């Protein structure tokens, strides 16, 4: 019996050693309709991502949720830019969002995504503009860093932007949607759009 146990353990060791690593970080893109109110306050950000899983190379466990929003929301943002901030939505707000895209990331792509998030929280990257540098522009930048094509960012509708982006990336779409050819943007063109908002 002891020999059989050792033999089974050895076989499992060889099988597992020959299997590809299953650890990875998954990024999921969410949006709200933009009119979520709780306790008399309009909630932000309206588009955000979650990053969950394990980094293959280091074994680091990842459990993040981030979005970009104004540090001081208010009517002044209709006319002026202001300070922006990377914010973690609370658990209830996360649960109320709609998931549009989900994608497993290699370690290299995960690092690229984290570098873009760091840029948006840096002094040179943290300016918020309702019209040119908002939660939609943030989510578009993260999507491109993850290797996805993005829809037209010139909208104030997070759900509209995410619907268009999901249509361009059917393999990653949580719910299949029809593509709208008028909203197409190639990864090569996306760099131009990304620079506009930085």
């Amino acid at each position: 019996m002891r020999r059989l146990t050792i033999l089974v353990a050895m076989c499992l060791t060889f099988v597992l050693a020959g299997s590809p690593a299953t650890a990875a970080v998954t990024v999921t893109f969410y949006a709200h309709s933009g009119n979520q109110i709780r306790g008399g306050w309009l909630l932000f950000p309206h588009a955000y991502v979650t990053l969950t899983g394990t980094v293959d190379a280091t074994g680091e466990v990842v459990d993040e949720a981030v979005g970009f929003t104004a540090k001081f929301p208010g009517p002044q943002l209709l006319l002026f830019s202001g300070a922006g901030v990377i914010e973690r939505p609370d658990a209830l707000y996360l649960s109320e969002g709609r998931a549009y895209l989900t994608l497993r990331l290699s370690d290299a792509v995960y690092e690229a995504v984290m570098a873009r998030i760091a840029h948006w929280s840096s002094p040179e990257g943290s300016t918020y503009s309702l019209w040119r540098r908002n939660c939609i522009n943030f989510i578009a930048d993260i999507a491109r860093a993850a290797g996805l094509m993005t829809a037209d960012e010139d909208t104030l509708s997070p759900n509209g932007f995410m619907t268009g982006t999901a249509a361009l990336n059917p393999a990653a779409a949580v719910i299949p949607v029809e593509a709208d050819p008028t909203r197409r943007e190639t990864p090569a063109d996306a760099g131009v759009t990304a620079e506009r908002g930085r």
Side-chain angles (χ1 to χ4, degrees), residues 21-45:
T22 57
V25 174
T26 298
V27 62
T28 304
F29 294 80
Y30 291 84
H32 275 278
S33 62
N35 59 359
Q36 296 286 331
I37 298 174
R38 190 182 311 141
W41 293 95
L42 187 61
L43 303 178
F44 298 96

Side-chain angles (χ1 to χ4, degrees), residues 17-87:
S19 299
T22 57
V25 174
T26 298
V27 62
T28 304
F29 294 80
Y30 291 84
H32 275 278
S33 62
N35 59 359
Q36 296 286 331
I37 298 174
R38 190 182 311 141
W41 293 95
L42 187 61
L43 303 178
F44 298 96
H46 297 140
Y48 52 89
V49 297
T50 61
L51 295 145
T52 57
T54 306
V55 179
D56 285 328
T58 64
E60 172 195 356
V61 176
V62 176
D63 184 12
E64 294 288 340
V66 293
F68 183 74
T69 190
K71 190 171 185 178
F72 305 106
Q76 76 280 3
L77 295 174
L78 292 170
L79 300 173
F80 305 105
S81 297
V85 63
I86 293 289
E87 200 166 87

Side-chain angles (χ1 to χ4, degrees), residues 23-27 29 51 54 56 103-111 113 145-147:
V25 174
T26 298
V27 62
F29 294 80
L51 295 145
T54 306
D56 285 328
L103 184 68
R104 288 181 61 148
L105 306 178
S106 67
D107 284 3
V109 175
Y110 167 71
E111 291 299 327
V113 164

